[in-house]
Amino acid sequence: MYNFNCRVVPKNYQHVLALVFAVNELNENPQILPNVTLGFHIHDSYFSERMTYWATLDILSTSYRFVPNYQCDIQKNLMAIIGGLDFETSLHMAAILTGYKIPQLSYGSFAPEDADQSQSTPFYRMVPNEAHQYTGILELLLQFGWTWVGLLTVDSESGEKFMEILQTLLSQRGICLAFSERTPKGTYLEEYYNLLSQWLQAYLIIAESKANTVIVYGEDKSMFYLQLLLAAGEAENVTSLAKVWIMTAQLDFSAVAFRTSQDMQPFHGSICFTVHSNEVQGFKTLLRSLNPFMAGEDGFLQQFWQQTFHCSFPNSIAEFSETCTGQEKLDSLPSSGFEMSMTGHSYSIYNAVYVVAHALHAMFQSWSKDRGIVRRWRPQLQKLQPWQLPPLSQCNKNCPSGTRRKKKEGEKFCCYDCTPCSEGKISYQKGRKH
């Protein structure tokens, strides 16, 4: 989980709960890893290279001592690491884990496959290749005739790659980019204010563009910065952004606790890709049973409760006027605040735990020369349901019958004038080039 000024992000807290749920489920299952108890440690990368390297080395160290490559006292028996919500974090972790040959199961890295990279980094993706999202975005734009669109990507290696590949694909299918902006990348909340001028510049470009559709690509916390971007623009009395936002699966509305319905207003009508998920029996029961006064070893629960329900506990630093009673219900929250169903990333974590467990189970069977059949477990694919929208996002309206497109000098090919067809020729279709 990441935080801003020690804040727990609701969606990422569900990641923790999915991990706990899967581990407990396996430990209570005598058919998998009998007489073996699985455990876990949770570390935070804070979306910082330095903290990612530190956390990775700490995982490899002896318990309660930051001493990598030295074994003493209680051993962790580290078998695998589940991590990497964003691609850069996965790569930073892999740079260290490669030397230890410890597998990393990445539950949120969408970067395209790279032959050289896949051979040098020991991580396994629990999510589909990013190429599927390119196809999905392209087909979506073509379906609705959105040929004049904007692109907003985080200023990172994966963002640059996404922009480069998508621009080529769009151009091949006759779709133009009205603008392509890189959003500044910050690790901590304080950095946002130092980058405010850059955010406002991006806001003005988006607001003044004729493109009514904007593709957004970024890491998980980009949703938070995008919300602040829109709020900052509104505060400066800039034109409101009435756009259709198309967001990649790394972004999620529940990644940030929206305090008011006004915070969600600019995002009505958005289209979000998502990671596949299934209903996991018993998970909602776990969520409904959460009690902040019986948190036990869960050091996140009370923080999560305060920031989700905007209340305070006795003896805590008062942030809210209301007092937490423990009677608050998670299922009373809007999905933008917290989701009761297991999200795609949480489901990937749940699957990753089972992958590790089954791998260990198979290894133990091999050691004991047991030729029994190992039960195979595989998530079932769920068919996506189609849905439709009314908005248009074009530089020009289609030319009516009897006219043809005429290129505008100095403009991209999606912007054109309509001129009558040549004498003796006529077009019965709209938007013809000749």
Side-chain angles (χ1 to χ4, degrees), residues 184-396:
K185 184 179 180 180
T187 300
Y188 301 103
L189 179 61
E190 292 82 359
E191 294 179 280
Y192 168 80
Y193 296 102
N194 297 329
L195 301 171
L196 185 58
S197 61
Q198 296 180 46
W199 279 102
L200 284 175
Q201 181 180 358
Y203 183 98
L204 288 171
I205 291 173
I206 299 170
E208 294 172 359
S209 173
K210 293 168 61 178
N212 290 323
T213 300
V214 182
I215 302 166
V216 184
Y217 175 91
E219 55 203 14
D220 192 45
K221 72 174 184 295
S222 295
M223 192 69 244
F224 175 80
Y225 286 124
L226 182 58
Q227 180 199 4
L228 291 183
L229 167 65
L230 299 180
E234 294 288 346
E236 295 293 326
N237 296 319
V238 182
T239 306
S240 179
L241 293 186
K243 308 288 186 181
V244 174
W245 303 93
I246 299 178
M247 300 184 179
T248 55
Q250 293 92 323
L251 298 167
D252 198 297
F253 288 123
S254 58
V256 177
F258 293 91
R259 291 175 180 262
T260 65
S261 59
Q262 284 76 16
D263 293 329
M264 285 294 293
Q265 187 65 34
F267 300 110
H268 288 320
S270 299
I271 301 175
C272 303
F273 286 81
T274 185
V275 181
H276 166 71
S277 181
N278 264 343
E279 192 70 33
V280 177
Q281 186 176 4
F283 188 66
K284 285 186 179 179
T285 302
L286 168 67
L287 297 183
R288 293 191 179 105
S289 68
L290 292 177
N291 187 328
F293 292 100
M294 299 177 64
E297 296 181 355
D298 189 340
F300 301 113
L301 183 54
Q302 286 202 349
Q303 259 192 310
F304 161 78
W305 210 265
Q306 287 185 127
Q307 292 161 25
T308 301
F309 291 104
H310 310 147
C311 60
S312 298
F313 289 97
N315 303 321
S316 66
I317 300 176
E319 291 186 25
F320 309 102
S321 57
E322 296 292 327
T323 301
C324 298
T325 65
Q327 300 301 312
E328 298 84 3
K329 300 297 182 183
L330 288 174
D331 50 12
S332 68
L333 296 169
S335 60
S336 58
F338 187 80
E339 295 185 48
M340 293 298 290
S341 297
M342 188 177 282
T343 65
H345 285 137
S346 293
Y347 188 57
S348 294
I349 293 173
Y350 177 85
N351 289 348
V353 176
Y354 268 86
V355 167
V356 174
H358 278 284
L360 291 173
H361 183 73
M363 183 176 67
F364 291 154
Q365 281 195 323
S366 176
W367 285 350
S368 61
K369 297 182 180 180
D370 182 1
R371 299 301 179 186
I373 299 177
V374 179
R375 178 170 60 88
R376 294 182 179 181
W377 180 87
R378 180 180 301 175
Q380 296 181 353
L381 295 177
Q382 177 179 325
K383 292 183 179 179
L384 299 175
Q385 299 298 320
W387 58 293
Q388 296 180 336
L389 290 173
L392 293 175
S393 184
Q394 300 175 334
C395 185
N396 285 85

Side-chain angles (χ1 to χ4, degrees), residues 138 141-142 145-150 167 169-179 209-211 393-399 404-418 431-433:
L138 185 61
L141 297 177
L142 292 173
W146 293 332
T147 57
W148 187 241
V149 302
Q167 278 182 317
L169 292 175
L170 295 180
S171 179
Q172 290 173 351
R173 301 300 296 271
I175 299 173
C176 292
L177 282 179
F179 61 84
S209 173
K210 293 168 61 178
S393 184
Q394 300 175 334
C395 185
N396 285 85
K397 294 182 179 180
N398 285 331
C399 291
R404 63 181 178 84
R405 298 182 189 180
K406 181 180 180 183
K407 179 177 172 55
K408 287 184 177 180
E409 288 298 324
E411 296 283 348
K412 295 187 178 181
F413 65 86
C414 289
C415 302
Y416 49 83
D417 291 320
C418 297
R432 293 287 293 179
K433 296 181 180 178

Side-chain angles (χ1 to χ4, degrees), residues 87-139:
F87 183 58
E88 278 71 24
T89 298
S90 294
L91 286 182
H92 299 327
M93 294 174 68
I96 295 176
L97 297 176
T98 299
Y100 292 86
K101 297 184 177 179
I102 296 175
Q104 177 190 168
L105 290 87
S106 176
Y107 68 94
S109 298
F110 280 82
E113 292 284 354
D114 186 307
D116 297 331
Q117 197 176 74
S118 61
Q119 294 175 2
S120 61
T121 52
F123 62 86
Y124 305 89
R125 294 177 175 88
M126 300 302 299
V127 289
N129 188 288
E130 192 170 79
H132 298 299
Q133 288 202 86
Y134 298 137
T135 304
I137 291 172
L138 185 61
E139 293 300 321

